[in-house]
Amino acid sequence: MSSEFKLAERLLGDVTINHDGKRKPVKESERKKGVYPYYGASGIVDYVDGYIFEGEYLLIAEDGENLRTRQTPIAFMADGKFWVNNHAHIVTGNGEVTTKYLSYFLRNVDIQPYITGAVMPKLTQGNLKKIPVRFPSLNHQNAIVGTLGSLDDKIALNRQINQTLEAMAQAIFKSWFVDFDPVKAKIAAIEAGQDPLRAAMSAISGKNDAELDTMPSLQYDELAATAALFPAELVESELGDVPKGWEVKPIGELVNCLGGSTPDTKNLDFWEPKEYAWTTPKDLSGATSPVLLSTGRKLSKKGLDKIGSGLLPVGTLLMSSRAPIGYLAISQIPVAINQGYIAIPPSDNLSPFFLYFWCQENLDLIKSNANGSTFLEISKKAFNPLLALKPSGDVHQVFFDKVSRIFSQIVTLENQVANLTELRDTLLPKLLSGELSVAELEEVV
């Protein structure tokens, strides 16, 4: 970097304005649902009907295990109107240092000497203010933030697209397998003396008759073939009225539910390469995507042999079974699991995509069958009897084809996010130290 790049050093308390006094925690039972983000130590934990901050602020975790593990960023920006509880410090730059520059600086700084608490890690306001901050001139700060911000903007855009894609897949699942829209449309059309096939086509596509008539013939024929697969009758079952010909069975009879374990890692053949991925629900705690691409935990061959479920294939559905119940992902790598999961490998009866959304839709039911004094847990014994609807093979295949294409896009974008994140985190310390200039960074980006 140019000779003009010089780093000053001050304590964080001297270059920030602290707003902790304005924080206000609200018990979950007392919150009123709304549109404003409610922030905690690791990000948004809820949405409420009011706000106490407006503008651009930096939130820094005050307590929690993440202060040590840093599975998610300990410092993150909040912008707009929002609420903050007392588990996150809230600061802004005082003009000498910008707020966004501080957010990048704190991603790269070692805060361990300032953390207290043997059981629950805590970063007090007093210790937060003692953290040394190194910073260049405002022009250099803005250049660094602008360049790194372009990477973060792309990461945020990819995640937003993936949320939209997942919502699209979820909407198909709910329409077909929860609300039975195509079936009910056929029933209503028959009662009204109308064409049931066209009614089902409208229910599936969201198009009216005029729009159906203008569809390209190939798309029209494909839509008609899909609509024809749905029956025109509902019948009584243990789950209520369901499409005729579809089966209701315990989930344990439709798929194979597996659990994992934790091997003894203290003396675990340290000379062997630890090449097998092993996951715990913590890997999904901060997930922004329905897929698991990687895990930082590795096992040796002997360590893998100690886990009863062994190495599970790509496409395995993972659901956290305790503390808390309901983290979900579809693994994109062969992976072993600990005892905090119920895992369902791919099967011919129900695809991982169907199971993912089935678990989402039935999460309250799953939780209601959990038990435990220290924390709630749903065992395989309690999970297996839960009733599930198995659609006809043809309808399930069409759903699989549609949603697998959507998830393929999600995986592609998540891989981009992983690469962009790695690039940003690699360049960040070099940029903050002046080892790499902004001009050089822009060429890399």
Side-chain angles (χ1 to χ4, degrees):
M1 189 167 276
S2 72
S3 58
E4 296 179 1
F5 185 88
K6 296 180 180 180
L7 286 171
E9 183 172 314
R10 306 259 316 266
L11 297 184
L12 188 141
D14 295 331
V15 294
T16 59
I17 302 169
N18 189 284
H19 306 276
D20 286 1
K22 299 178 184 178
R23 301 177 304 177
K24 186 178 179 181
V26 183
K27 294 180 181 178
E28 185 174 1
S29 60
E30 298 175 359
R31 295 176 206 158
K32 294 181 180 179
K33 295 295 181 182
V35 299
Y36 301 108
Y38 181 88
Y39 283 94
S42 298
I44 297 172
V45 296
D46 205 349
Y47 287 87
V48 295
D49 69 342
Y51 63 92
I52 54 178
F53 289 97
E54 182 176 4
E56 189 174 73
Y57 294 83
L58 176 62
L59 276 58
I60 306 165
E62 180 171 341
D63 51 32
E65 188 59 33
N66 189 56
L67 284 170
R68 289 202 178 103
T69 62
R70 300 183 82 149
Q71 294 288 315
T72 59
I74 61 160
F76 48 92
M77 297 296 299
D79 193 9
K81 298 176 180 179
F82 57 92
W83 200 292
V84 180
N85 66 20
N86 58 352
H87 295 286
H89 298 293
I90 180 163
V91 302
T92 51
N94 67 354
E96 191 174 1
V97 177
T98 70
T99 307
K100 284 188 175 180
Y101 176 85
L102 282 170
S103 73
Y104 284 115
F105 177 82
L106 288 173
R107 293 183 193 184
N108 189 57
V109 70
D110 179 15
I111 64 167
Q112 294 305 310
Y114 305 93
I115 295 175
T116 58
V119 178
M120 174 61 72
K122 186 175 181 66
L123 178 61
T124 66
Q125 185 184 125
N127 282 347
L128 173 69
K129 291 180 176 181
K130 295 176 183 177
I131 296 174
V133 177
R134 295 179 300 280
F135 56 94
S137 68
L138 282 174
N139 286 339
H140 280 102
Q141 290 178 46
N142 291 332
I144 290 169
V145 167
T147 308
L148 289 178
S150 66
L151 293 174
D152 278 333
D153 288 345
K154 175 58 177 171
I155 290 170
L157 177 61
N158 279 14
R159 286 175 172 162
Q160 184 178 5
I161 293 171
N162 274 350
Q163 289 174 359
T164 302
L165 290 170
E166 183 180 349
M168 290 168 53
Q170 185 179 34
I172 296 172
F173 178 89
K174 189 173 187 301
S175 176
W176 291 15
F177 306 124
V178 178
D179 298 333
F180 311 132
D181 289 335
V183 178
K184 291 178 179 178
K186 283 188 173 183
I187 294 172
I190 292 172
E191 292 175 349
Q194 298 171 349
D195 184 351
L197 183 65
R198 290 273 293 195
M201 292 170 67
S202 292
I204 293 169
S205 66
K207 299 179 183 295
N208 58 33
D209 277 335
E211 291 170 326
L212 289 176
D213 290 337
T214 60
M215 288 181 65
S217 59
L218 187 62
Q219 293 180 19
Y220 183 94
D221 292 344
E222 182 181 340
L223 177 59
T226 298
L229 300 176
F230 288 87
E233 184 178 350
L234 294 171
V235 297
E236 292 184 1
S237 78
E238 295 174 89
L239 290 175
D241 290 346
V242 300
K244 185 177 181 180
W246 294 13
E247 297 180 88
V248 173
K249 286 187 174 183
I251 190 70
E253 293 183 16
L254 295 171
V255 295
N256 187 22
C257 300
L258 303 173
S261 59
T262 300
D264 178 11
T265 55
K266 292 180 180 177
N267 299 297
L268 188 60
D269 300 303
F270 59 86
W271 57 87
E272 285 192 11
K274 294 185 178 182
E275 56 187 11
Y276 299 99
W278 177 62
T279 179
T280 74
K282 285 184 179 180
D283 294 321
L284 306 184
S285 62
T288 57
S289 162
V291 295
L292 177 71
L293 296 178
S294 64
T295 173
R297 300 170 180 84
K298 301 292 182 182
L299 292 175
S300 69
K301 179 64 168 63
K302 288 189 177 181
L304 178 64
D305 291 342
K306 293 178 182 290
I307 296 180
S309 59
L311 199 64
L312 300 172
V314 170
T316 295
L317 177 80
L318 304 173
M319 183 190 76
S320 63
S321 56
R322 66 186 190 191
I325 298 168
Y327 290 152
L328 290 164
I330 299 173
S331 176
Q332 304 302 304
I333 54 172
V335 68
I337 58 174
N338 83 336
Q339 60 271 35
Y341 280 119
I342 287 177
I344 305 176
S347 73
D348 294 333
N349 282 324
L350 296 174
S351 70
F353 311 122
F354 185 98
L355 291 166
Y356 180 88
F357 293 113
W358 180 84
C359 287
Q360 272 193 352
E361 191 68 31
N362 290 277
L363 189 55
D364 288 341
L365 172 66
I366 293 169
K367 289 180 177 179
S368 70
N369 283 270
N371 54 60
S373 55
T374 305
F375 49 77
L376 287 178
E377 178 174 12
I378 177 80
S379 65
K380 296 193 299 296
K381 184 178 180 180
F383 183 78
N384 283 331
L386 300 182
L387 294 178
L389 180 64
K390 180 179 181 294
S392 68
D394 290 339
V395 171
H396 182 271
Q397 184 62 50
V398 174
F399 173 78
F400 174 83
D401 291 342
K402 284 180 174 291
V403 177
S404 63
R405 291 194 291 269
I406 293 175
F407 268 71
S408 178
Q409 296 177 63
I410 291 175
V411 171
T412 297
L413 291 172
E414 275 302 306
N415 275 315
Q416 287 184 14
V417 166
N419 291 335
L420 289 167
T421 301
E422 183 180 4
L423 174 61
R424 181 200 64 201
D425 293 346
T426 299
L427 297 175
L428 181 58
K430 296 180 179 180
L431 197 61
L432 296 182
S433 66
E435 178 183 345
L436 184 66
S437 72
V438 171
E440 290 170 332
L441 176 62
E442 287 174 344
E443 291 180 8
V444 172
V445 173

